Structure formats: C-alpha cells, structure tokens
Amino acid sequence: MNAPAFGFPDFLAPGIPQAFVLTALRVGGLVLVAPAWSARTVPMKLRTALLVIFAVLLLPSALDTADRSTLAITPATFLAETVVGFALGFAAALTVAGAEFAGELATTTIGLSGAAIFDPVNNTQVAILASFMQIMTVTLLLIAGGHIVMLQAVARSFVAMPLGAPVAMDRGLLSLVKASATIFGSGLQFAAPVIAAILLTNLALAILGRAAPQLQIMSLAFPLQIGIGLLAFAGALGLVVQALGGWSEQYGTTMDGFVRAAHVAPAPATEALR
C-alpha cells in the first residue's frame, strides 16, 4: 500500500477510489439511522461533510483487509456496504427506540395522551414523555461515548466484513428484524413501574368508591393518577441509566447476530465489535 504523509493512502493508486466509495457507503448507512447523526435537525451539508471525513479516516482500516484488485462499485457491493452500515446504526438505535416506546406507554397509562409536544430531533409531534425519554437517552448515549463506539465498530467491522465481500442481505436484515423485538421488551421493562403504580392506584380507588359511594372518586382519580404516575416515572428513570451501562455489550451481541446471519465468519466479529 502506498502510504504517504499522515498515514493516508495514495487516492490515485489502483483500487483506492473504489475502496473510498465503498467505505463512504458503509459510513453513510450508519449515519442514515444512527442516534443523533440521523436527526433531521442536523443539516444535510454537515451530515455529508461528516460522512466524507469519517470515510477518509476509516479508509486505512478498510484497506488493511480489502483486496484492492477485486474491488468494484456494482449494485451488489453498493447495497451490501449500505446494509452493513445500516445494521451498525440500527443496532445503536434500538436502545433509543426502546426508551421512546417506554415513554409512549407511560404517557398513555398516566392519561397524558393529549399532551403532545414538538420533537426537535425528528421535527414531529410526539407524546410528552416519549420525547423526554428520547432526548434523555440520546444525551446519555453521547455522554457515555456511544458515538465513538459506533465509529470503532465501523472500523472493526472491516475485519469481519471486508470491503466487497459477499453478504447475505436477506438473512442479515431478517436478524435485525428479530433483534428489533427488544424495543418492546425494553420499553415494557422501563414502563413497568408506571403501569404497576397506576394499576394499584386504580384498584385502590375502585375499592374506595365501593366502600364510600358518597365520595367524588372521579374528581380525585385523574389528578391522583397523574401525580402517582409521574412519581413512578421519575423512579423508573434509573432503569434507563442502568440499561445504558450495558449498551456496548448489547450492541456487540446484535451485530454478532447480524454477522452470523449474513454468513460472514462470526469469530472475528465477536472480538471486534464488542
């Protein structure tokens, strides 16, 4: 490899332009769905600049395992590299989606379904607690260095999935669909304290209403349900922080499943992506 100043390859050497384009496609798939980078508030020009910068920085890692003599930009390699990058970003987005789903459940359970606010990340109207959970989770993810973990995963993915290597995209995407079931599991786990608290509150109010019919239970039920629900929601936030503590392991497990389903040797991926 021609490696002149600063450790970067000669971009005019044979195979280097193809490798750069394929690397940019893999990074582009990541930026397409990864938390924070995929936000609509990020200008397209800035997103494109980040894509080019990341592709240049990751190109030496890609060339270490790629066969430059066989690299070619074809529809198959175009889709394969994009899908690999998409998988890297999608695996990171699962945690944020699970927390957002928990916010949706909590909002509906408490009785705040009509309280929708503007989501600055996606430029849409969402439930108030869902927006709070999304912003909080993305913030914690960035504080924990999640964006660095994703870039390291892209760099190490070239060991398990070299540029231009064949990828069984149908089975790989199927593994991602199966992994998306964790959204509902984690969301229900995060929202479980709120659901349990509201269930007990409604049960207690129902018993009180039967024991003392003269009391105006309905006038007390709504504010009491909101107050108890918000207190339970505040206590459940620790579950999100605890889940983010093991985020990198879950991220590596999801990617290892993708690699196995895509018929690429799983052993290097397990060591590289975790």
Side-chain angles (χ1 to χ4, degrees):
M1 180 190 307
N2 296 326
F6 307 110
F8 292 113
D10 183 3
F11 286 90
L12 299 179
I16 301 298
Q18 292 87 336
F20 175 76
V21 172
L22 294 177
T23 303
L25 288 173
R26 186 172 297 195
V27 176
L30 170 72
V31 176
L32 183 65
V33 294
W37 288 325
S38 62
R40 294 184 181 180
T41 52
V42 179
M44 185 58 65
K45 293 182 179 179
L46 176 59
R47 202 179 304 179
T48 303
L50 289 175
L51 190 153
V52 174
I53 293 173
F54 292 156
V56 172
L57 295 176
L58 293 170
L59 184 58
S61 299
L63 291 174
D64 286 340
T65 57
D67 185 1
R68 288 188 294 169
S69 61
T70 60
L71 288 180
I73 303 175
T74 63
T77 56
F78 184 97
L79 289 176
E81 296 303 324
T82 304
V83 167
V84 172
F86 177 86
L88 291 165
F90 182 80
L94 288 178
T95 302
V96 179
E100 186 176 0
F101 179 65
E104 292 279 357
L105 287 178
T107 300
T108 304
T109 304
I110 294 174
L112 298 175
S113 300
I117 62 173
F118 178 74
D119 179 10
V121 178
N122 297 315
N123 288 338
T124 57
Q125 292 288 334
V126 297
I128 182 171
L129 296 182
S131 178
F132 171 79
M133 290 290 286
Q134 182 193 51
I135 295 175
M136 187 194 71
T137 306
V138 172
T139 302
L140 291 176
L141 196 66
L142 295 177
I143 292 175
H147 56 300
I148 304 298
V149 173
M150 286 184 278
L151 289 178
Q152 291 175 342
V154 175
R156 296 169 183 173
S157 68
F158 296 115
V159 177
M161 295 167 284
L163 290 179
V167 176
M169 290 180 287
D170 54 344
R171 298 185 181 182
L173 291 176
L174 179 60
S175 70
L176 293 180
V177 172
K178 294 180 179 179
S180 63
T182 59
I183 295 176
F184 304 100
S186 59
L188 184 60
Q189 180 184 6
F190 295 155
V194 178
I195 297 175
I198 297 301
L199 179 61
L200 293 176
T201 300
N202 291 335
L203 182 60
L205 289 174
I207 296 175
L208 183 60
R210 293 284 292 180
Q214 67 276 14
L215 294 177
Q216 297 296 326
I217 298 300
M218 295 304 298
S219 62
L220 297 175
F222 189 66
L224 186 62
Q225 178 175 312
I226 293 178
I228 293 178
L230 291 178
L231 287 176
F233 177 78
L237 293 180
L239 292 175
V240 180
V241 178
Q242 183 179 4
L244 287 178
W247 173 81
S248 59
E249 295 181 3
Q250 181 182 359
Y251 182 64
T253 301
T254 303
M255 285 309 304
D256 185 59
F258 171 80
V259 170
R260 291 177 183 273
H263 293 289
V264 182
T270 304
E271 297 297 331
L273 294 178
R274 287 188 175 180

